[in-house]
Amino acid sequence: MTKGPRLLALLAALALPVGAAIVLLLLTDPDPPKEPATVRIGESATFAPPPPSSTAPVPPSTSAAPSETWLPPPPPVDDDDLDDDDDD
């Protein structure tokens, strides 16, 4: 066998799977994008209401947490550039 037929056979062997994959992709319908389940913080993905209890629900406490948490002020910034008297 000369180089010509060998090269042609190699190209055909490589092109066959590539062509089959392209045809397969063109013939199949793409799946629509699936939206993930929305889970809110503090809830589970499968929410089941709690079973009813024979006792009355506990009323919320009157000492509620403050709506804003107090934070200390930030430390002062030491900026050495303001103290320089050098004329740059």
Side-chain angles (χ1 to χ4, degrees):
M1 252 177 134
T2 62
K3 284 188 176 184
R6 284 185 189 173
L7 186 60
L8 186 61
L10 179 64
L11 288 176
L14 292 176
L16 184 63
V18 172
I22 290 174
V23 168
L24 185 65
L25 288 174
L26 291 175
L27 292 179
T28 58
D29 292 330
D31 291 335
K34 296 182 180 178
E35 190 172 323
T38 303
V39 178
R40 293 187 179 155
I41 296 174
E43 294 181 359
S44 64
T46 56
F47 177 73
S53 60
S54 60
T55 61
V58 178
S61 64
T62 57
S63 61
S67 60
E68 293 183 17
T69 304
W70 180 82
L71 296 174
V77 177
D78 185 23
D79 191 2
D80 291 335
D81 291 340
L82 296 176
D83 299 339
D84 291 342
D85 290 335
D86 298 334
D87 293 332
D88 291 328

